[in-house]
Amino acid sequence: MNKRKHADLSVDFLGFKCENPFMLSSSPVAANYEMCSKFLEAGGGGVVFKTIGTYIPDECSPRFDHVRKEGQPFLGFKNMEQISDHPYEENMHFLRQLKKDYPTKCLIVSIMGSNEEDWTKLAKDVTEAGADIIECNFSCPQMTQENMGSDVGANIELIEKFTKATLAGTDVPIMLKMTPNIELMEVPATAAIKAGGHAIAAINTIKAITHIDLDQMTALPVVNGKSSVSGYSGAAAKPIALRFIANMKQDPFLKDIPISGIGGIETWEDCAEFISLGCTNLQFTTSVMQYGFRVVEDMISGLSIWMEEKGYKSIDDFCGKALNNIVPAEDLERDFKVYPKIDYDKCVGCGRCYISCFDGAHQAITWDAENRKVEIDEDKCVGCQLCLHVCPVADCITPGKVVFKPEDQFGLGSEAKYVEGGPNKRDIIVGQYDE
Amino acid sequence: MSENAKKDYLCEAVPPFTIATAMEEASRCLLCLDAPCSQDCPAGTNPGDFIRAIRFRNFKGAAEIIRTNNVLGGICARVCPYEVLCEEACSRTGIDKPIQIGRLQRFATDYEKASGFEPLEKVEATKEKVAMIGSGPASLTCGAELAQKGYAVTIFEEKAIPGGVLSYGVVPARLPQYIVDEEIELVKSLGVDIVCNTKIGKDKSIEDLKNDGYKAFFIGAGIQAPKMLNIPGTDLDGVTNAVEYLGSAKPSNGKIEPGSKVVVIGGGDVAMDCATTSRQIGSEKTMILYRRTREEAPAHKIEMSYVEELGVHMHYGFTPEEIVGKDGKVVAIKGKGFRDDSMIQLECDKVIFAIGQQPDDSVKSIADIKFSPKNTIVADEEEDCKTDVPYIFAGGDIVNGGKTVVQAVAVGKTAAESIEAYLSKEAK
């Protein structure tokens, strides 16, 4: 059978024409030739090879943990691994072989030094081994040595010094991978670009403690009775990543700097979201650790189908398209509210909306215990739509009518009522909910 | 009265998944490395991949996987005996119960239709003309596969509506007619022509078609002649058979005389369909007479439970002995113990034989090819669907004597490949 022709997913990233933007991030999933090769064969556009340093780290065991909610695993994932534990020469061999066997795939190599000489040497060696792009790891939160990892990403002086040192060893573009363990990423990112860097990769993992083992009174994973703060990733990290990326893409100095988006990418929709905020390259690890390299198949298929339906001929057509609609809170219109609408044919009478509205919102839903029927009290409803978010039934509660607030909305000497659709009636886009 | 019994004849028995419930079910899937479910689908529909696509919210991609492997994916989602195929193989069974693969497949194909997504692209017909005889699932699949390979396909159907057993056999509770119609439209949209009211061997012959330029033929004519028992009273008014009963109920949306007290004879899925139909279109009482035990009945247990919920009385262990008439009309049926000397007499005004079907003699007029003593066509449908005439291929019930829809889909795919191989060789 003949599938429809798929959309063109190719994208130019720092001068390299990638067949698609999907890449393994520098992590345990891109640690050797075999893994990278299997991912590229599955359809990936490239890889970011696991960080190469000048020494081999001594890793702990166990080293992972994950967070569940209501039985759903991998909401977030904690990992304590550091940089590559393969011998230096073996890594160079992997790189040479990858570039030889996959010349059209984008080979990005992550490096991390502890001083300027290291950074220059690493840059020079991986360039000679075939790197198309270098990623400077300024952000691993679980390094055991000073002046390495996320220490760098939070220190402007080190960022400038190591960016320049890297440039001294290579002529390929370099990308700086940033830590989210700060408030504003624009500051270190600007420093890195001013020092000569070409692109930003964001975000690395978030410093975290996932669980406490209440018998042993320590955090997870337990390493002979002890544990440490380390990097948190996966679905829980995505909203944080999107925030940092939007901020950078809206920064006047950084707005045209290419960004490789990282943080909880698992589905094609996640990919589309990062692209809509301006990313032209996407990296992921946690979804691969949970499900394997095959996740890329549904990214390719799903994104292609969606793009074709939306009429997007290329990634560029929608890249950054959401940025204009993300505005400071003070710029949002606040002169109307959107009431929820309950579909009584679908309502199962569980009362969840009543509970949440009473205990978590504005006591604007009434409960008829005998008939198990809820009703919205429009006098009290503020249009927050918490009910819609907690309702377990598909399309049962949806955004309903839009009303404009009276001009004297706090009732100071006026009897004005809410006016449906007026006085300044216009089209209000209320958002879409598909489940 | 049970919940099911209230359901209308035209109402699908199993409710559909929503996005949220489909995601919940897909999240139960273990996404096994070797996907035993995929290995156990005769038609190669590849549930392992489409469930994974649903899990990653790639719903249209899921539909694409289904359609590229099985053009009748929405039909199979409803009529497949998945509990003995993909779902039986499901690894999740080792934890609790299998993934509801059929319902997920239905979700994906429903989503495809609701969103207007078209996963298959039509291929221009530049190659030879090929004729399908009969328009059941084997011919529809074979025709669609060949059209996708660039052949000019025409399906000839003797009845007024295409679909064969899909339109005249399976009850709407399991397979609503609009689903059949939609998937036939899909097959037509790929370039397949369907000509109804044309019986090959009567209205036209294979020779006529050869003269019209057809270079290869697939016979998927099905089997329609009901098997009857040689007992007294079968000629009485009120005695009918499953082919007649179901085949008139479905095209008329259930507007037939249901019978007041109905006895269905048989223990297969078709017998269950007859019982379901009679209850849903208004019988006062429906009974099933089957000679063996419930455990031995070939009907799928889900269907049997459904029939039981509809309030059908099941009488196991009796074989019919005589249909009793008065003034030429049925008034009762007598049965005797199949394995003992028990006796039974059931008052009734309608008796439906649902003990199987066989090819009628007219099949031999289709083509001068080799038939078995049972009037089925001799062909190896697992291998290549070839008959003893090089340009004639056959498969489906007319070859295997009566199997499942998904088996017919599998055969249709095999036949298409075989026909392509034959025609490519001839073209050289």
Side-chain angles (χ1 to χ4, degrees):
Chain A
M1 293 283 186
N2 296 278
K3 287 183 199 178
R4 303 149 62 95
K5 279 170 201 72
H6 278 166
D8 175 12
L9 298 177
S10 70
V11 68
D12 182 293
F13 187 67
L14 292 173
F16 193 94
K17 178 90 171 164
C18 308
E19 68 182 72
N20 64 49
F22 311 127
M23 315 238 163
L24 293 178
S25 41
S26 159
S27 74
V29 302
N32 60 34
Y33 174 84
E34 216 179 351
M35 296 171 101
C36 295
S37 160
K38 190 177 169 196
F39 174 72
L40 296 173
E41 296 287 347
V47 294
V48 184
F49 196 87
K50 184 168 182 174
T51 306
I52 300 172
T54 50
Y55 76 103
I56 292 180
D58 192 9
E59 299 290 5
C60 63
S61 167
R63 63 189 73 159
F64 303 134
D65 189 31
H66 75 110
V67 173
R68 289 176 177 269
K69 188 175 186 307
E70 283 116 20
Q72 194 67 34
F74 269 76
L75 221 60
F77 181 72
K78 184 191 181 193
N79 131 52
M80 301 180 72
E81 254 190 50
Q82 305 176 71
I83 60 176
S84 172
D85 58 359
H86 287 280
Y88 196 77
E89 244 330 296
E90 190 183 17
N91 276 331
M92 296 304 141
H93 171 72
F94 288 149
L95 299 179
R96 282 191 290 271
Q97 199 62 39
L98 281 168
K99 198 63 234 174
K100 179 166 171 277
D101 294 349
Y102 301 97
T104 62
K105 305 274 188 177
C106 187
L107 177 61
I108 303 178
V109 182
S110 173
I111 58 172
M112 186 196 288
S114 56
N115 55 48
E116 287 167 277
E117 292 72 41
D118 273 4
W119 283 98
T120 306
K121 176 182 162 43
L122 282 160
K124 183 165 174 286
D125 290 350
V126 303
T127 304
E128 278 172 12
D132 297 308
I133 295 166
I134 290 173
E135 180 179 274
C136 298
N137 184 342
F138 288 168
S139 46
C140 175
Q142 50 258 17
M143 294 308 295
T144 53
Q145 306 192 349
E146 248 184 275
N147 288 353
M148 291 187 86
S150 58
D151 285 2
V152 179
N155 182 325
I156 301 296
E157 198 185 321
L158 288 178
I159 288 175
E160 287 170 348
K161 211 156 74 170
F162 292 161
T163 301
K164 285 177 180 157
T166 304
L167 287 165
T170 186
D171 53 2
V172 301
I174 71 166
M175 161 161 89
L176 305 315
K177 185 167 176 178
M178 310 309 283
T179 176
N181 300 302
I182 50 172
E183 196 203 337
L184 298 172
M185 204 173 280
E186 298 92 295
V187 178
T190 299
I193 298 300
K194 283 190 170 158
H198 305 97
I200 299 296
I203 58 173
N204 205 320
T205 53
I206 303 155
K207 285 186 182 179
I209 291 173
T210 42
H211 288 109
I212 300 295
D213 181 320
L214 294 174
D215 293 321
Q216 302 188 58
M217 280 298 169
T218 183
L220 290 179
V222 181
V223 182
N224 194 21
K226 302 276 193 280
S227 194
S228 294
V229 167
S230 76
Y232 189 55
S233 63
K238 192 182 90 172
I240 296 161
L242 292 175
R243 187 282 277 196
F244 277 119
I245 289 166
N247 281 172
M248 286 190 286
K249 275 287 167 189
Q250 291 177 330
D251 181 86
F253 177 75
L254 293 169
K255 64 182 172 49
D256 296 323
I257 302 300
I259 293 185
S260 176
I262 315 168
I265 296 178
E266 183 170 298
T267 69
W268 65 270
E269 285 172 322
D270 298 331
C271 296
E273 290 176 35
F274 276 84
I275 296 169
S276 77
L277 290 183
C279 296
T280 43
N281 183 272
L282 305 165
Q283 303 181 31
F284 40 89
T285 281
T286 311
S287 55
V288 171
M289 293 187 85
Q290 190 183 4
Y291 292 112
F293 299 126
R294 55 193 176 165
V295 295
V296 76
E297 292 173 30
D298 284 302
M299 291 178 187
I300 295 171
S301 156
L303 190 65
S304 300
I305 293 170
W306 174 79
M307 279 173 58
E308 197 183 298
E309 289 188 346
K310 288 282 178 187
Y312 295 133
K313 298 265 182 293
S314 70
I315 298 271
D316 280 346
D317 281 3
F318 72 101
C319 188
K321 224 175 165 180
L323 287 167
N324 282 342
N325 295 324
I326 296 165
V327 297
E330 61 268 30
D331 292 350
L332 288 177
E333 293 174 45
R334 292 167 190 271
D335 59 346
F336 64 89
K337 60 181 177 180
V338 184
Y339 285 128
K341 188 175 76 195
I342 299 171
D343 183 338
Y344 289 105
D345 289 338
K346 292 188 172 137
C347 178
V348 296
C350 68
R352 287 284 303 275
C353 57
Y354 166 78
I355 295 170
S356 287
C357 184
F358 197 100
D359 297 0
H362 295 80
Q363 302 82 48
I365 294 180
T366 56
W367 172 246
D368 171 353
E370 200 179 324
N371 298 307
R372 305 188 80 223
K373 189 178 174 183
V374 291
E375 233 169 309
I376 290 162
D377 177 348
E378 292 192 354
D379 287 340
K380 289 184 172 175
C381 179
V382 299
C384 72
Q385 299 184 0
L386 176 63
C387 51
L388 179 158
H389 291 281
V390 299
C391 177
V393 181
D395 296 330
C396 175
I397 306 184
T398 50
K401 66 180 174 190
V402 177
V403 298
F404 286 89
K405 298 173 185 171
E407 280 176 27
D408 183 15
Q409 62 171 303
F410 300 110
L412 302 171
S414 160
E415 288 183 15
K417 287 260 187 254
Y418 289 110
V419 190
E420 202 176 321
N424 33 351
K425 181 173 163 45
R426 60 184 188 276
D427 290 334
I428 301 291
I429 299 164
V430 294
Q432 292 178 339
Y433 300 87
D434 68 350
E435 48 187 275
Chain B
M1 193 185 262
S2 76
E3 200 56 28
N4 279 330
K6 292 176 198 160
K7 279 191 182 142
D8 179 60
Y9 172 67
L10 296 174
C11 180
E12 206 166 349
V14 181
F17 276 140
T18 62
I19 290 178
T21 52
M23 285 298 295
E24 270 176 33
E25 191 63 12
S27 303
R28 288 183 63 239
C29 175
L30 307 181
L31 300 182
C32 304
L33 177 63
D34 55 348
C37 52
S38 291
Q39 296 171 35
D40 273 24
C41 176
T45 312
N46 203 352
D49 276 11
F50 77 67
I51 296 170
R52 192 184 79 207
I54 293 172
R55 165 65 190 81
F56 292 109
R57 302 186 61 86
N58 182 15
F59 306 134
K60 289 172 186 167
E64 185 176 80
I65 291 163
I66 294 165
R67 292 293 178 197
T68 48
N69 292 311
N70 178 350
V71 71
L72 303 184
I75 290 173
C76 285
R78 290 164 168 85
V79 302
C80 263
Y82 13 82
E83 72 273 19
V84 296
L85 297 171
C86 51
E87 291 184 10
E88 186 177 50
C90 178
S91 305
R92 178 83 202 203
T93 313
I95 299 174
D96 48 13
K97 56 184 184 188
I99 306 303
Q100 298 178 62
I101 299 174
R103 279 179 86 185
L104 284 174
Q105 183 170 328
R106 181 173 149 195
F107 166 77
T109 50
D110 283 354
Y111 188 90
E112 166 198 338
K113 284 168 200 161
S115 62
F117 176 60
E118 294 174 2
L120 300 178
E121 206 154 85
K122 186 180 169 178
V123 173
E124 203 193 331
T126 54
K127 298 184 185 166
E128 290 89 339
K129 286 169 80 172
V130 184
M132 311 281 120
I133 294 154
S135 65
S139 291
L140 288 169
T141 305
C142 183
E145 292 275 344
L146 286 169
Q148 288 273 283
K149 295 172 191 290
Y151 292 95
V153 179
T154 308
I155 295 179
F156 294 95
E157 166 59 46
E158 64 171 296
K159 295 205 172 74
I161 305 171
V165 66
L166 305 172
S167 296
Y168 290 95
V170 191
V171 290
R174 279 204 287 153
L175 181 63
Q177 187 59 32
Y178 76 89
I179 297 292
V180 181
D181 294 344
E182 282 171 357
E183 306 222 335
I184 289 175
E185 280 309 310
L186 170 61
V187 170
K188 284 161 84 174
S189 77
L190 299 174
V192 174
D193 227 5
I194 302 184
V195 179
C196 288
N197 298 312
T198 306
K199 188 173 168 74
I200 304 302
K202 186 174 156 228
D203 303 316
K204 261 179 191 288
S205 68
I206 293 260
E207 284 307 312
D208 294 336
L209 295 177
K210 276 167 75 180
N211 291 335
D212 289 345
Y214 289 93
K215 300 293 184 201
F217 301 85
F218 174 76
I219 305 176
I223 50 176
Q224 284 91 29
K227 285 185 187 162
M228 299 290 279
L229 290 176
N230 192 15
I231 57 171
T234 52
D235 54 347
L236 289 165
D237 189 10
V239 178
T240 183
N241 59 71
V243 178
E244 168 73 29
Y245 192 74
L246 298 176
S248 51
K250 197 169 186 187
S252 66
N253 288 339
K255 303 274 185 304
I256 61 162
E257 173 54 49
S260 162
K261 289 178 181 168
V262 179
V263 172
V264 179
I265 299 166
D269 281 328
V270 175
M272 300 307 136
D273 279 359
C274 290
T276 301
T277 303
S278 71
R279 288 296 291 143
Q280 289 178 327
I281 63 177
S283 77
E284 188 187 307
K285 182 179 180 184
T286 297
M287 298 151 273
I288 283 182
L289 203 57
Y290 175 57
R291 57 185 177 155
R292 299 178 194 272
T293 61
R294 189 183 198 277
E295 291 67 36
E296 290 168 291
H300 293 103
K301 296 298 171 273
I302 293 172
E303 297 304 324
M304 295 184 78
S305 304
Y306 181 64
V307 162
E308 285 161 357
E309 280 177 42
L310 289 172
V312 171
H313 301 248
M314 315 292 267
H315 299 284
Y316 297 107
F318 291 100
T319 181
E321 199 176 31
E322 182 189 350
I323 301 170
V324 185
K326 192 182 171 192
D327 304 331
K329 289 182 180 168
V330 174
V331 293
I333 183 165
K334 284 183 181 173
K336 62 174 182 194
F338 182 56
R339 289 176 181 138
D340 59 24
D341 295 326
S342 303
M343 300 292 287
I344 194 169
Q345 177 160 340
L346 300 168
E347 198 179 302
C348 59
D349 58 358
K350 192 170 277 291
V351 174
I352 306 169
F353 280 90
I355 55 172
Q357 284 143 242
Q358 59 198 359
D360 61 37
D361 288 334
S362 75
V363 294
K364 289 194 171 167
S365 61
I366 297 175
D368 189 13
I369 51 174
K370 194 172 170 194
F371 283 84
S372 76
K374 288 180 170 174
N375 274 359
T376 54
I377 296 174
V378 178
D380 184 352
E381 64 173 29
E382 297 297 327
E383 189 58 36
D384 54 18
C385 296
K386 284 181 180 167
T387 67
D388 59 337
V389 175
Y391 55 85
I392 300 180
F393 301 77
D397 288 357
I398 189 77
V399 169
N400 61 39
K403 283 189 179 168
T404 57
V405 172
V406 69
Q407 173 66 19
V409 169
V411 165
K413 289 172 74 173
T414 305
E417 272 181 36
S418 191
I419 290 169
E420 182 188 34
Y422 164 76
L423 289 173
S424 327
K425 210 172 109 195
E426 285 298 296
K428 276 177 192 163

